Amino acid sequence: MNSKTIQYGIGDNSYVAAGALQGLTKLVDSFYDFMETLPEASKIRNMHKSDLTESRTKLVYFLSGWLGGPRLYAEHFGRIIIPAAHKHLSIGFDERDAWIFCMQKAVALQPYEDAFKAYLIEQLKVPAERIRMASEAYQTNP
Ligand code: HEM
């Protein structure tokens, strides 16, 4: 199949396009490196523990299954519902956008097809917005 006709989101196409586990590890390392250094992200960085090792592993494992690859998060840590897992955090529009901004910077550095870069960011905006909504609902009615 020609790369231009790959349908992301079918089977493990997205996982493969992201470079499988090795590619996802590079993406997530880059993502958290940006979170640690970009001033726009200092607030969300400070919501995390000082040591980001566990966060890096968990995000790689989650993205693996989410992109159609091995369900590593479930295998290692059990079931997760992403908005519920964040509802105790105060995540508004700025925090949501800062997270996506770090991801955009990280995705831009990866050797992905442009179409996959755009697809991945659009897909990630969906859980990011659900997290913001869950956080808002929780603040209103904990
Ligand atoms: C909307 C902006 C986001 C912010 C500010 C944010 C922030 C955080 C923080 C602070 C933690 C650590 C939680 C804790 O220690 O209690 C965390 C964990 C996590 N986040 Fe996010 N996150 C965001 C979006 C996302 C998205 C879009 C995904 C998935 C695509 C994601 C996946 C995860 C995963 C898998 C964990 C580990 C959960 C666990 O095992 O407890 N996050 N996030």
Side-chain angles (χ1 to χ4, degrees):
M1 190 189 275
N2 178 302
S3 63
K4 298 213 167 12
T5 59
I6 289 177
Q7 281 194 288
Y8 305 123
I10 308 284
D12 68 354
N13 285 355
S14 298
Y15 175 74
V16 172
L21 204 55
Q22 201 184 19
L24 285 175
T25 303
K26 287 186 181 155
L27 172 69
V28 168
D29 276 341
S30 177
F31 167 76
Y32 274 115
D33 290 349
F34 278 118
M35 196 188 284
E36 290 207 276
T37 50
L38 289 173
E40 295 90 334
S42 63
K43 188 168 168 200
I44 61 171
R45 196 270 168 262
N46 292 334
M47 290 177 181
H48 292 77
K49 292 183 193 149
S50 56
D51 182 351
L52 290 173
T53 311
E54 188 186 84
S55 294
R56 288 173 192 256
T57 304
K58 284 183 164 180
L59 188 55
V60 170
Y61 282 7
F62 176 79
L63 291 176
S64 174
W66 190 70
L67 293 172
R71 296 174 180 279
L72 299 175
Y73 187 97
E75 278 173 28
H76 290 265
F77 303 110
R79 186 168 146 76
I80 185 170
I81 299 168
I82 282 290
H86 291 78
K87 71 177 192 313
H88 61 293
L89 302 166
S90 180
I91 300 176
F93 291 100
D94 288 351
E95 292 74 24
R96 177 200 67 183
D97 292 350
W99 194 97
I100 290 292
F101 184 56
C102 295
M103 206 36 110
Q104 280 169 326
K105 293 275 197 185
V107 164
L109 293 183
Q110 307 310 308
Y112 301 160
E113 298 279 331
D114 284 349
F116 183 64
K117 291 182 181 183
Y119 170 85
L120 185 54
I121 293 298
E122 284 315 302
Q123 293 302 306
L124 285 167
K125 284 180 181 173
V126 176
E129 169 59 9
R130 293 208 178 118
I131 288 168
R132 185 202 63 76
M133 289 169 67
S135 175
E136 184 181 75
Y138 188 73
Q139 314 288 320
T140 317
N141 192 11

